[in-house]
Amino acid sequence: MRPSESKSSPSSTKPSASTIVRQIDAELRRHRNPARAVAEKAYLKSELEFLGVGLPVMRAVVRSITQQHRQLDRQKLVELTTRLWGRPLFERRMMTVLLLDAFEPLLRRSDIALLERLIRQSKTWALVDELAIAVTGRLLERSAKLVDVLDRWSVDDDFWIRRAALLALLPQLRRGAEDFERFGRYADRMLDEREFFIRKAIGWVLRDTGKKQPERVYAWLLPRCNRASGVTVREAVKYLSPRQRNALLSAYGAAAHPRQASGRALR
């Protein structure tokens, strides 16, 4: 192949962020479903616009992009993130999250500021949870000093940021890593909260941790059953032994629980 041909080869060119955005927009429009858009907007109680494109389709588009644009670098990823996220369209923002997940190894520790901004602007678990677990959680594993940021998130006024602090620890805890103590500190401070999405997140992390560390989950939750919500306890006991499960449910049932979780739809 002559040098001139090599320069024009698709495998050697670096498309602009705007070109990739146009490619994504075209695919989203092609698969739009107005009826589904109405239903999803109502389900998520979101102020965003919706096209009604399913997650499998969006994942397929991301796979195509990762194959076509293997040379995408961090600068282009950040620019792409900014351009996609700028329009208040759910599918655009979900595509942003999926692309950050696919190209997460390109991110640096300083990009935590960008992730925090996206989480604050998400306002729905459908975006927050992926940003917290798949992106922030993996970045945390590569940059241990980011735990200082999570400490700050865990006491933030925004409950979505507090939820993200809990969920960002999930990748490590699922493998049985030793950061349960930090999660325990966060969760203990949040255990009395009435916000459903906090209660559910605590239970979710306890549930997944219980697959490999059931005794640790049991020992942490048992003395706190008088403070925990039903949502938290029911999630937490799913993978514990029958003995542990019955003991925790009995302890929860014996305690007075006048508080009710805020009326939000279940995940």
Side-chain angles (χ1 to χ4, degrees):
M1 179 179 292
R2 295 190 300 273
S4 60
E5 292 177 326
S6 177
K7 289 180 181 179
S8 62
S9 170
S11 62
S12 63
T13 58
K14 292 185 178 181
S16 66
S18 59
T19 297
I20 300 175
V21 169
R22 286 195 295 272
Q23 177 186 356
I24 290 171
D25 283 341
E27 287 299 310
L28 293 179
R29 286 193 301 270
R30 189 163 70 89
H31 294 281
R32 68 188 304 167
N33 183 330
R36 179 174 182 148
V38 173
E40 289 192 342
K41 183 177 179 67
Y43 173 64
L44 293 177
K45 297 180 173 62
S46 174
E47 296 180 358
L48 296 173
E49 304 167 21
F50 283 75
L51 291 176
V53 180
L55 188 57
V57 169
M58 287 189 276
R59 290 193 185 280
V61 174
V62 168
R63 285 195 297 271
S64 176
I65 289 172
T66 56
Q67 292 169 4
Q68 294 177 45
H69 308 299
R70 297 180 186 277
Q71 298 183 13
L72 192 74
D73 57 22
R74 174 185 169 275
Q75 182 178 354
K76 193 68 64 60
L77 176 63
V78 172
E79 183 182 355
L80 186 57
T81 295
T82 302
R83 287 176 176 271
L84 279 173
W85 195 269
R87 180 180 168 188
L89 176 67
F90 174 78
E91 285 81 3
R92 259 190 169 216
R93 294 194 170 182
M94 180 55 76
M95 286 294 298
T96 305
V97 176
L98 295 175
L99 285 167
L100 286 170
D101 180 8
F103 291 99
E104 185 277 333
L106 296 177
L107 297 177
R108 300 174 185 169
R109 188 169 66 189
S110 60
D111 292 319
I112 192 67
L114 170 63
L115 299 180
E116 180 174 337
R117 177 173 67 82
L118 300 185
I119 291 170
R120 287 190 186 281
Q121 294 176 357
S122 290
K123 307 299 183 184
T124 172
W125 59 263
L127 299 173
V128 168
D129 293 1
E130 288 296 312
L131 283 168
I133 301 170
V135 186
T136 304
R138 288 161 60 203
L139 182 59
L140 176 65
E141 291 184 280
R142 295 192 289 109
S143 306
K145 291 183 179 180
L146 288 178
V147 293
D148 293 340
V149 174
L150 290 195
D151 288 345
R152 174 172 58 79
W153 286 10
S154 72
V155 293
D156 197 273
D157 290 340
D158 187 337
F159 74 83
W160 290 116
I161 293 290
R162 297 198 302 279
R163 178 176 169 100
L166 296 167
L167 297 182
L169 296 170
L170 254 182
Q172 299 179 46
L173 293 172
R174 281 171 171 167
R175 295 197 316 272
E178 294 297 315
D179 211 7
F180 185 84
E181 183 179 346
R182 183 176 301 276
F183 163 76
R185 291 200 306 273
Y186 294 174
D188 192 54
R189 285 198 299 264
M190 301 183 208
L191 205 56
D192 298 301
E193 292 195 28
R194 300 191 64 178
E195 173 55 55
F196 169 81
F197 286 106
I198 293 296
R199 293 178 166 189
K200 183 71 177 236
I202 295 172
W204 179 4
V205 177
L206 289 171
R207 178 195 72 196
D208 282 20
T209 303
K211 293 179 181 179
K212 291 195 172 183
Q213 302 183 75
E215 289 294 340
R216 175 168 259 180
V217 169
Y218 175 74
W220 186 88
L221 187 55
L222 184 61
R224 295 173 172 83
C225 277
N226 62 323
R227 295 170 53 212
S229 72
V231 170
T232 297
V233 174
R234 286 190 294 273
E235 282 294 312
V237 302
K238 284 185 178 179
Y239 296 108
L240 302 185
S241 69
R243 175 189 64 81
Q244 293 168 334
R245 185 182 309 120
N246 292 335
L248 289 172
L249 291 175
S250 295
Y252 169 77
H257 287 86
R259 305 184 307 277
Q260 297 295 323
S262 57
R264 296 180 182 273
L266 295 179
R267 263 206 61 173

